[in-house]
PDB file of all heavy atoms in Angstrom:
ATOM      1  N   GLU A 826     117.199 106.931  64.309  1.00  0.00           N
ATOM      2  CA  GLU A 826     116.155 107.110  63.333  1.00  0.00           C
ATOM      3  C   GLU A 826     115.245 105.897  63.250  1.00  0.00           C
ATOM      4  O   GLU A 826     115.702 104.784  63.468  1.00  0.00           O
ATOM      5  CB  GLU A 826     116.766 107.346  61.940  1.00  0.00           C
ATOM      6  CG  GLU A 826     117.503 108.687  61.798  1.00  0.00           C
ATOM      7  CD  GLU A 826     117.976 108.915  60.395  1.00  0.00           C
ATOM      8  OE1 GLU A 826     117.653 108.111  59.498  1.00  0.00           O
ATOM      9  OE2 GLU A 826     118.670 109.958  60.146  1.00  0.00           O
ATOM     10  N   GLY A 827     114.007 106.160  62.973  1.00  0.00           N
ATOM     11  CA  GLY A 827     113.014 105.051  62.790  1.00  0.00           C
ATOM     12  C   GLY A 827     112.270 104.666  64.037  1.00  0.00           C
ATOM     13  O   GLY A 827     111.304 103.861  63.985  1.00  0.00           O
ATOM     14  N   VAL A 828     112.680 105.186  65.202  1.00  0.00           N
ATOM     15  CA  VAL A 828     112.049 104.788  66.438  1.00  0.00           C
ATOM     16  C   VAL A 828     110.567 105.320  66.498  1.00  0.00           C
ATOM     17  O   VAL A 828     109.681 104.590  66.965  1.00  0.00           O
ATOM     18  CB  VAL A 828     112.847 105.322  67.667  1.00  0.00           C
ATOM     19  CG1 VAL A 828     112.127 105.005  68.979  1.00  0.00           C
ATOM     20  CG2 VAL A 828     114.215 104.691  67.682  1.00  0.00           C
ATOM     21  N   PHE A 829     110.371 106.524  66.065  1.00  0.00           N
ATOM     22  CA  PHE A 829     109.026 107.117  66.053  1.00  0.00           C
ATOM     23  C   PHE A 829     108.087 106.224  65.222  1.00  0.00           C
ATOM     24  O   PHE A 829     106.989 105.908  65.685  1.00  0.00           O
ATOM     25  CB  PHE A 829     109.033 108.535  65.547  1.00  0.00           C
ATOM     26  CG  PHE A 829     107.700 109.168  65.469  1.00  0.00           C
ATOM     27  CD1 PHE A 829     107.110 109.747  66.580  1.00  0.00           C
ATOM     28  CD2 PHE A 829     106.977 109.169  64.272  1.00  0.00           C
ATOM     29  CE1 PHE A 829     105.844 110.327  66.508  1.00  0.00           C
ATOM     30  CE2 PHE A 829     105.707 109.772  64.193  1.00  0.00           C
ATOM     31  CZ  PHE A 829     105.123 110.339  65.284  1.00  0.00           C
ATOM     32  N   ASP A 830     108.487 105.876  64.005  1.00  0.00           N
ATOM     33  CA  ASP A 830     107.629 105.127  63.117  1.00  0.00           C
ATOM     34  C   ASP A 830     107.317 103.727  63.764  1.00  0.00           C
ATOM     35  O   ASP A 830     106.184 103.254  63.629  1.00  0.00           O
ATOM     36  CB  ASP A 830     108.268 104.977  61.762  1.00  0.00           C
ATOM     37  CG  ASP A 830     108.303 106.242  60.967  1.00  0.00           C
ATOM     38  OD1 ASP A 830     107.480 107.129  61.267  1.00  0.00           O
ATOM     39  OD2 ASP A 830     109.128 106.389  60.044  1.00  0.00           O
ATOM     40  N   GLU A 831     108.316 103.131  64.353  1.00  0.00           N
ATOM     41  CA  GLU A 831     108.088 101.797  64.977  1.00  0.00           C
ATOM     42  C   GLU A 831     107.121 101.928  66.157  1.00  0.00           C
ATOM     43  O   GLU A 831     106.231 101.078  66.343  1.00  0.00           O
ATOM     44  CB  GLU A 831     109.398 101.225  65.450  1.00  0.00           C
ATOM     45  CG  GLU A 831     109.271  99.861  66.152  1.00  0.00           C
ATOM     46  CD  GLU A 831     108.620  98.801  65.313  1.00  0.00           C
ATOM     47  OE1 GLU A 831     108.794  98.815  64.078  1.00  0.00           O
ATOM     48  OE2 GLU A 831     107.869  97.975  65.919  1.00  0.00           O
ATOM     49  N   ALA A 832     107.243 103.021  66.976  1.00  0.00           N
ATOM     50  CA  ALA A 832     106.338 103.240  68.096  1.00  0.00           C
ATOM     51  C   ALA A 832     104.940 103.424  67.619  1.00  0.00           C
ATOM     52  O   ALA A 832     103.995 102.867  68.218  1.00  0.00           O
ATOM     53  CB  ALA A 832     106.809 104.437  68.905  1.00  0.00           C
ATOM     54  N   VAL A 833     104.747 104.194  66.544  1.00  0.00           N
ATOM     55  CA  VAL A 833     103.396 104.424  65.998  1.00  0.00           C
ATOM     56  C   VAL A 833     102.790 103.126  65.540  1.00  0.00           C
ATOM     57  O   VAL A 833     101.552 102.834  65.828  1.00  0.00           O
ATOM     58  CB  VAL A 833     103.457 105.433  64.857  1.00  0.00           C
ATOM     59  CG1 VAL A 833     102.122 105.466  64.080  1.00  0.00           C
ATOM     60  CG2 VAL A 833     103.820 106.833  65.364  1.00  0.00           C
ATOM     61  N   GLU A 834     103.538 102.282  64.822  1.00  0.00           N
ATOM     62  CA  GLU A 834     103.011 100.963  64.354  1.00  0.00           C
ATOM     63  C   GLU A 834     102.675 100.052  65.566  1.00  0.00           C
ATOM     64  O   GLU A 834     101.700  99.309  65.504  1.00  0.00           O
ATOM     65  CB  GLU A 834     104.004 100.325  63.410  1.00  0.00           C
ATOM     66  CG  GLU A 834     104.152 101.049  62.088  1.00  0.00           C
ATOM     67  CD  GLU A 834     102.821 101.250  61.376  1.00  0.00           C
ATOM     68  OE1 GLU A 834     102.051 100.264  61.289  1.00  0.00           O
ATOM     69  OE2 GLU A 834     102.522 102.389  60.922  1.00  0.00           O
ATOM     70  N   ALA A 835     103.525 100.099  66.565  1.00  0.00           N
ATOM     71  CA  ALA A 835     103.258  99.267  67.737  1.00  0.00           C
ATOM     72  C   ALA A 835     102.004  99.694  68.442  1.00  0.00           C
ATOM     73  O   ALA A 835     101.223  98.851  68.904  1.00  0.00           O
ATOM     74  CB  ALA A 835     104.469  99.341  68.675  1.00  0.00           C
ATOM     75  N   ILE A 836     101.806 100.989  68.543  1.00  0.00           N
ATOM     76  CA  ILE A 836     100.603 101.541  69.231  1.00  0.00           C
ATOM     77  C   ILE A 836      99.345 101.080  68.451  1.00  0.00           C
ATOM     78  O   ILE A 836      98.344 100.607  68.991  1.00  0.00           O
ATOM     79  CB  ILE A 836     100.637 103.059  69.318  1.00  0.00           C
ATOM     80  CG1 ILE A 836     101.666 103.417  70.377  1.00  0.00           C
ATOM     81  CG2 ILE A 836      99.245 103.629  69.747  1.00  0.00           C
ATOM     82  CD1 ILE A 836     101.987 104.931  70.439  1.00  0.00           C
ATOM     83  N   LYS A 837      99.435 101.189  67.122  1.00  0.00           N
ATOM     84  CA  LYS A 837      98.258 100.808  66.266  1.00  0.00           C
ATOM     85  C   LYS A 837      97.954  99.306  66.422  1.00  0.00           C
ATOM     86  O   LYS A 837      96.809  98.920  66.536  1.00  0.00           O
ATOM     87  CB  LYS A 837      98.560 101.101  64.849  1.00  0.00           C
ATOM     88  CG  LYS A 837      98.578 102.639  64.500  1.00  0.00           C
ATOM     89  CD  LYS A 837      98.904 102.834  63.006  1.00  0.00           C
ATOM     90  CE  LYS A 837      98.890 104.311  62.609  1.00  0.00           C
ATOM     91  NZ  LYS A 837      99.266 104.532  61.203  1.00  0.00           N
TER      92      LYS A 837
END
Side-chain angles (χ1 to χ4, degrees):
E826 292 185 4
V828 176
F829 177 83
D830 289 339
E831 178 58 33
V833 168
E834 292 305 313
I836 290 172
K837 289 179 179 178

